[in-house]
Amino acid sequence: MTALAGEALELAEEHPTQQRRRRRLHGRWALPLWGWLVIAWLCAPIIVMIVFGFNNYPGKFNTNWHGFTFKWYRHLFAIGDLTTSLENSLSIAAIVTVIATILGTLLGMSLGRYRFFGSGSVNLLLFANIAAPEIVLGAALLSFFLTLGIPRGYWTIVIAHVMFSIAYVAVTVKARMAGMDPALEEASRDLGAGPVVTFFRVTLPMLMPGVLAGALLTFALSIDDYIITSFNNGSTQTFPLWVYGASQRNGGSVPAQVNVMGTLIFGFGVLVAVIGFAVNREKKVRDSS
Amino acid sequence: MTWSRLRAKLAPYWLVLPAWLWLVIFFVVPTLVMLSVSTMTGNLLDGFKQTWHWSTYSHGWSLYHVQFVRSIVYGLIATALCLVIAYPVAYWIAFRGGRHKSSLLFLLLLPFFVSFVIRTQSWGFILSDHGLALNWARDLHVLGLLKDVHLVSSSGSILQTPVAVVGGLVYNFLPFTVLPIYVALERVDPALLEASSDLYANKASAFSKVVLPLSMPGVFAAVLLTFVPVASDYVNATILGGTKTTMIGNIIQTEYFTNSDYPTAAALSFILMAALLIGVFAYARALGTEDVLEMAAR
Amino acid sequence: MNSPLDGLPPDLVRGLTSPRLSRRRALQIGGLSALGLSLAACGIPAAPGSKLGLHAAREQITKFWMQHAKNTGQLNFENWPLYIDVGKGNDHPSLDLFTKQTGIKVKYDEGIQDDDSYFGKIQPVLAAGQSIGWDIIVITNGIYLDRLVNLDYLIPLDQNAMPNFYANASPLVLDPSFDRGNVYTMAWQSGMTGIAYNPKYIDREITSWEDLQDPAFRGKIGMFADIEDTPNSALCAIGVNPETSTEADWRKAADWLKKQRPLVRKYYQQDYVAPLSKGDLWISLAWSGDIFQANASGSNLKFVVPKEGAPLWTDNMCIPVHAQHPRDAMTYMDWVYQPKIATLLAEYINYITPVPATQPLIMADAKAAKSKDDKEFYTQLAESPLIFPSKADYSKLHRYRVLDSAEEQVWDSLFEPIYQS
């Protein structure tokens, strides 16, 4: 999915508006109104989450507004298990990103560049992996671990996350690779560079946006994953698992630290995206000048 | 053959090997293992033995066909709603976005930086009986109206009704619908639209005869990427649902973790996967898209 | 070690030092001591005991505890969430006190969310003969505790090391029906499953299980998605004591639940308190301690033990096999039965404490309390029938039905579809 997001954003950048002529004007407000309503609807729960991270509620339930406070920000790490689960999520996501990006990039490069015996079935494998429902992926892996008697924990989560991330990275890189001019690599080969050097100095830098998009995608998917993780986690908790568990236990009270963490992760993501935009824009300006 | 030519010939295979191995070991083999588990019998204490007990499938179907059908129905409704909501938005950004296209897309995707468990719980909070949504409905005096159109149950709740679950599904999977449609619309050459207006087509027929057909691959991808996860979801049903909204995903999860009935759980997972795959290929046939794999693999 | 007779088996020596032997002869025989050791079987051999009996088992247990006579200095304790006192930071004052008094460091974790998924997690490990990494785990009486016992996954306790327990435990948890003689378990806390309701939405008094089927509360009733509480409550509702119920009774209870189903809003895990406080639920199946805690933090809910009777459950400390620090586990388990320590825990946990002697101590804390809130809280705690049920209440409280594996199949097939589909 995020291959699409990246591609969508790229296309948006490359195709600024072409329309100059305005024809009829009435009825034109309908479409933007719809668009903004949808965006508002999408943002509604986020705003609620952010706001209730500042709620000064007594007792257990963060349900009614009791006044503004920063105390949950101050005591962000007060709940040991929650902090551990967040740490697990972040460390797992980091490890998974590294492994899946490397494996997926190699795979994507090969599929994008070569037509070899078996490439059709590899494509089919990737399609099946992306199309298969998460619950089937998670359940199958659990059956596998149960049959082999492998205890579930941190590393089975890593295995599961890499398993579903490879396909996304591969597809992203493959698309990028297919759009690349092979002439550059040939030129580098003609100039005497071996395949490894060519890879590192010519291919990889040109693939970089695709690789980075894939890596970012993997990181986001891994941090947010619930279903596959819940099947293969054993007793290790990740952030989404902990939050889900908290909502189902303890009388249904989710501590405000969760809101705060959600807000901070959200803010961080926004920051990264904004920086990405700014850098991209600057690059385009520089490239076009 | 020289060493370097051999290396060149084998290059694609070396590159593919590590990822391929990982997928085979942790995706293909587990799926086959799950197939074999589905025909085992036994229980947690005595262990499970392979007995080629295929009747687990029919037993699972007879016990849970209601939940299966419900999941497919919710999936279709949610996908349809997603399409209806997403298409205009994608169109708006692609054709009217102008300079702000990327910012609008970004705004659209922004909420999905937050973990979807938290987002769904936030909805649970907003939709509760004395929460924001229903308080507004009461203040605006539309509560009776909403009850009449069955958006709100007769006891005045949205939570624990199918409306809440389907609403949550639509909310959580909307980006999966918007993005493929957007990408497809973005590729429509504006020259084609100009050509159609030169040929005296009005806006409506320009849309239906030019834009819509060209966007079909995107719509197909959107349906695929939305329907499959929606029909197999269980988190929305758990957080927002009640007694009559149980989906097949909930059942599978319960069979694995509460009942430890692995054969039934595995059988149900297979039935679900088969149903979804058949649905997808049938739809692809109906659409006549050759590049099912290509479009969907995006 | 001066005499050559030293080191010889005693019966041989007795035989040898009878007056008939000359000293020289004795020495000669002594020189054959190496060979003679095999003659140690000389004498009347002991009757070989069977390894199957209770005595043999007791000997094994005694031997085990003799081998683990000393504390190792480390204890790994796995428990349910919010089931121990919490101090200002993230620490647990009672555990710190334990470390101070005994020198044993405690690793504490709240990894038990419910009995069935926890059992599912530890069973494969124990079946493979490995340690689960925890020395004390807390399991509710019921199907999973029975399974653990039947599979011999629990280490029997050292009965000689339980003085505080036997001195202070309440009759409710001493020699309970699910663990006669406290062979494997010592209670951690107990609780009642009854009815909770929000008086803001329900004017009348709630007294009976039938109130959970009142059509006036349609769509506002909560039940548990639980194989123990929901069925056993239904059995109480039809007027049957769950402990002695028969399959015919179970069918009637299942019918009662099916009749109720259209009125139920949701079958909750343990997240019913928030909806009850918010008004999404007006009435619900509930655990006594949850309601007490909710009220202590600002809610205004009422908890009732219905007149037909209600289930009483106990969460029990037990030691899984292959535990690495069993002696430290025994030390801790008995340590918490001192009234002062039990009070420390009871003042935080708010379930039925296994040590009734805490009641006067809590009253004393109430008197000594400085702030008004604390005073009120401790008084409430000491006087609450949810924490210290009266003798009259005892007769209304019933334990869960104990099931063998055949009965379990029937029970599951009757009740699971009601809340799982």
Side-chain angles (χ1 to χ4, degrees), chain B residues 172 210 223 229 253 266 271 278 287:
Chain B
N172 278 312
V210 179
V223 167
Q253 200 245 5
I271 300 178
I278 293 175
L287 263 196

Side-chain angles (χ1 to χ4, degrees), chain B residues 7-267:
Chain B
R7 235 177 23 180
K9 257 206 132 68
L10 288 181
Y13 296 100
W14 284 125
L15 290 174
V16 166
L17 191 66
W20 182 83
L21 264 183
W22 195 288
L23 284 175
V24 164
I25 298 177
F26 296 115
F27 171 48
V28 178
V29 170
T31 309
L32 296 172
V33 169
M34 191 168 78
L35 183 62
S36 102
V37 168
S38 69
T39 57
M40 291 184 188
T41 45
N43 59 56
L44 197 58
L45 294 179
D46 307 324
F48 294 90
K49 289 196 188 28
Q50 181 58 262
T51 55
W52 305 111
H53 197 238
W54 293 96
S55 63
T56 313
Y57 281 87
S58 48
H59 185 63
W61 177 260
S62 67
L63 274 181
Y64 298 119
H65 61 271
V66 171
Q67 285 80 11
F68 262 119
V69 170
R70 185 186 289 147
S71 302
I72 303 290
V73 168
Y74 284 5
L76 290 172
I77 298 178
T79 306
L81 284 173
C82 276
L83 278 176
V84 164
I85 296 176
Y87 201 103
V89 178
Y91 187 91
W92 169 53
I93 299 182
F95 287 95
R96 306 277 182 79
R99 275 198 312 273
H100 309 292
K101 271 187 209 184
S102 29
S103 322
L104 287 175
L105 261 184
F106 173 67
L107 267 182
L108 202 69
L109 297 176
L110 198 58
F112 299 91
F113 279 112
V114 174
S115 166
F116 98 99
V117 177
I118 298 184
R119 289 195 316 263
T120 314
Q121 270 163 18
S122 275
W123 273 118
F125 176 77
I126 296 175
L127 295 175
S128 73
D129 290 5
H130 299 276
L132 295 167
L134 283 167
N135 280 345
W136 280 356
R138 265 183 277 270
D139 290 341
L140 293 173
H141 301 293
V142 295
L143 191 59
L145 174 65
L146 290 175
K147 278 193 191 173
D148 289 336
V149 298
H150 294 296
L151 278 179
V152 174
S153 80
S154 51
S155 49
S157 9
I158 301 182
L159 277 186
Q160 278 82 52
T161 64
V163 171
V165 176
V166 173
L169 290 168
V170 170
Y171 178 88
N172 278 312
F173 292 99
L174 194 67
F176 291 78
T177 325
V178 171
L179 289 173
I181 299 180
Y182 172 80
V183 167
L185 284 175
E186 193 56 51
R187 288 174 186 224
V188 170
D189 191 345
L192 288 170
L193 280 176
E194 289 191 22
S196 81
S197 73
D198 286 346
L199 290 167
Y200 305 109
N202 60 17
K203 276 235 157 181
S205 46
F207 175 74
S208 60
K209 294 217 163 73
V210 179
V211 177
L212 190 58
L214 286 176
S215 64
M216 278 326 257
V219 172
F220 171 77
V223 167
L224 175 71
L225 286 178
T226 309
F227 181 70
V228 169
V230 166
S232 51
D233 185 71
Y234 64 88
V235 179
N236 283 284
T238 311
I239 297 181
L240 303 171
T243 56
K244 293 182 195 53
T245 59
T246 313
M247 295 173 73
I248 194 62
N250 295 92
I251 303 290
I252 294 177
Q253 200 245 5
T254 309
E255 291 286 9
Y256 263 111
F257 292 108
T258 310
N259 302 351
S260 301
D261 185 355
Y262 303 130
T264 306

Side-chain angles (χ1 to χ4, degrees), chain C residues 148-407:
Chain C
L148 287 173
V149 168
N150 293 334
L151 291 169
D152 278 330
Y153 284 161
L154 296 179
I155 299 181
L157 305 178
D158 183 0
Q159 297 290 320
N160 297 321
M162 297 161 56
N164 289 316
F165 177 76
Y166 282 113
N168 300 313
S170 114
L172 274 181
V173 303
L174 207 48
D175 192 30
S177 60
F178 56 86
D179 184 18
R180 292 241 165 268
N182 289 100
V183 175
Y184 297 100
T185 65
M186 284 196 241
W188 175 250
Q189 301 285 319
S190 302
M192 302 180 277
T193 305
I195 304 180
Y197 66 100
N198 192 336
K200 189 162 153 209
Y201 300 101
I202 297 188
D203 285 327
R204 63 187 186 80
E205 253 209 85
I206 301 293
T207 53
S208 154
W209 288 110
E210 290 306 316
D211 291 324
L212 275 179
Q213 279 208 19
D214 191 339
F217 307 143
R218 167 180 281 271
K220 300 288 193 183
I221 300 178
M223 293 291 286
F224 288 174
D226 180 272
I227 195 62
E228 302 276 27
D229 283 315
T230 299
N232 282 291
S233 301
L235 283 169
C236 291
I238 60 173
V240 168
N241 181 352
E243 287 177 272
T244 53
S245 55
T246 63
E247 198 181 306
D249 296 324
W250 304 345
R251 287 184 196 282
K252 280 202 252 169
D255 288 336
W256 190 94
L257 288 170
K258 282 191 213 144
K259 196 169 125 215
Q260 186 208 32
R261 196 155 190 270
L263 304 170
V264 175
R265 182 175 186 134
K266 186 173 171 180
Y267 290 94
Y268 291 87
Q269 297 293 327
Q270 295 167 36
D271 56 329
Y272 60 95
V273 186
L276 204 51
S277 297
K278 269 194 300 189
D280 282 12
L281 287 177
W282 292 350
I283 189 171
S284 173
L285 200 60
W287 286 346
S288 50
D290 280 352
I291 303 304
F292 189 92
Q293 279 173 353
N295 285 339
S297 61
S299 307
N300 185 19
L301 303 170
K302 285 207 184 345
F303 181 87
V304 174
V305 174
K307 61 179 194 260
E308 297 96 339
L312 172 78
W313 45 266
T314 303
D315 285 332
N316 305 280
M317 297 185 279
C318 46
I319 309 180
V321 287
H322 309 301
Q324 283 150 339
H325 318 102
R327 177 55 66 183
D328 307 71
M330 279 307 310
T331 310
Y332 179 81
M333 285 162 72
D334 190 60
W335 184 80
V336 295
Y337 271 85
Q338 302 167 79
K340 276 224 178 65
I341 310 296
T343 307
L344 204 57
L345 294 171
E347 283 172 352
Y348 191 84
I349 301 177
N350 311 155
Y351 271 93
I352 301 180
T353 171
V355 179
T358 57
Q359 197 173 20
L361 290 179
I362 297 178
M363 272 320 277
D365 279 340
K367 288 209 171 61
K370 301 232 172 54
S371 83
K372 192 158 130 355
D373 285 336
D374 280 349
K375 235 188 189 20
E376 214 182 289
F377 175 74
Y378 288 136
T379 318
Q380 245 185 345
L381 197 60
E383 295 174 350
S384 169
L386 299 185
I387 314 287
F388 298 102
S390 67
K391 289 279 186 305
D393 286 337
Y394 281 19
S395 63
K396 280 204 290 187
L397 297 172
H398 307 292
R399 293 245 168 240
Y400 293 151
R401 179 72 159 82
V402 175
L403 300 163
D404 65 36
S405 54
E407 292 174 324

Side-chain angles (χ1 to χ4, degrees), chain A residues 81-93 134 157 161 164 218-231 233 236-249 254-255 257-259 261-262 265, chain B residues 112-121 172 234-235 238-239 253, chain C residues 113:
Chain A
D81 285 342
L82 175 57
T83 312
T84 311
S85 76
L86 186 61
E87 287 167 9
N88 285 341
S89 275
L90 290 170
S91 62
I92 289 175
E134 280 214 354
I157 302 180
H161 284 205
F164 73 74
T218 304
F219 191 80
L221 285 177
S222 169
I223 277 211
D224 195 23
D225 186 69
Y226 176 77
I227 294 183
I228 297 187
T229 314
S230 74
F231 275 86
N233 74 311
T236 309
Q237 293 282 72
T238 64
F239 185 62
L241 286 179
W242 194 95
V243 176
Y244 183 86
S247 79
Q248 299 289 300
R249 323 280 172 199
V254 177
Q257 277 87 351
V258 168
N259 295 51
M261 283 183 187
I265 295 176
Chain B
F112 299 91
F113 279 112
V114 174
S115 166
F116 98 99
V117 177
I118 298 184
R119 289 195 316 263
T120 314
Q121 270 163 18
N172 278 312
Y234 64 88
V235 179
T238 311
I239 297 181
Q253 200 245 5
Chain C
Q113 303 285 358

Side-chain angles (χ1 to χ4, degrees), chain A residues 92-138:
Chain A
I92 289 175
I95 297 175
V96 166
T97 302
V98 169
I99 302 178
T101 307
I102 296 175
L103 294 182
T105 302
L106 293 177
L107 181 56
M109 267 179 51
S110 176
L111 288 176
R113 171 56 44 82
Y114 304 107
R115 263 241 133 79
F116 54 93
F117 174 75
S119 64
S121 68
V122 175
N123 274 313
L124 188 60
L125 183 65
L126 291 181
F127 170 61
N129 189 279
I130 294 182
E134 280 214 354
I135 192 168
V136 171
L137 291 177

